[in-house]
Amino acid sequence: MTRTTGPGAGPEAGTAPAEASPAPRRGRPRDTARDRALLEATLAVLAESGYGGLTTAAVAARAGVSTATLYRRWSSKADLVVAAAATVTEGPCEPPGTGSLEGDLRVVLRDKAAVMTGESGRLMRALVGEAACNSVLAGALTVAFLGPVYRRVAEVVRCAVERGEIPPVENPDLLGEIVVGPVMSRFLLTPDPPERVDAVAARAEADRFLPFVLRAVGGVQRG
């Protein structure tokens, strides 16, 4: 059967073909290398000058970009610092898996001491004073530095309870503060900058807290 192609053959007859919609224009893709340079510059300026001495102009100059480039990414100094803090991580939150509460807590304490004498410790020292009156920065510090280690401590104690080493602990939400709080205070509040403490001295300092931490969670030191 021959298809009719004349006028009135169908709804498309006598109509102009629809024009295709133009593809949406995309802006320039974000330069992740420039983002990384700005965040690294922020950490460097914080370590040198603290939060009060940090300016967006100093960060932009350190990164080799304009302040306009910086403000296209972060609208304020606080936003920039929060983003920089998020790049500094504590590492894995898994329990050490040594097979004993004493061994696991020793690893946790030593790891925290190592963190506090490195880049994370310098950043915390730069921000801790400002965080007391700045809820945004306080939240950033909690997410970047406290949350991971607190969860790790809770898991270490949970495993010890399952092994029968200790009875269930009351107020488990306070465990992180009890276990790593003293180590953090030791390195945050000492007169000398923590970066002057070498790895061996940091481990030894962490080990001094182990007997007290063990007793606090109901454990007994074996050695």
Side-chain angles (χ1 to χ4, degrees), residues 110 199-209:
R110 287 181 172 184
V200 174
R203 286 196 300 271
E205 196 68 25
D207 287 348
R208 293 176 59 196
F209 289 100

Side-chain angles (χ1 to χ4, degrees), residues 56 100 122 135:
T56 52
S100 72
R122 290 192 292 273
S135 60

Side-chain angles (χ1 to χ4, degrees), residues 154-173:
E155 185 65 11
V156 162
V157 173
R158 187 190 66 78
C159 290
V161 171
E162 288 187 349
R163 288 192 300 265
E165 286 189 70
I166 57 174
V169 178
E170 294 183 5
N171 301 315
D173 56 310

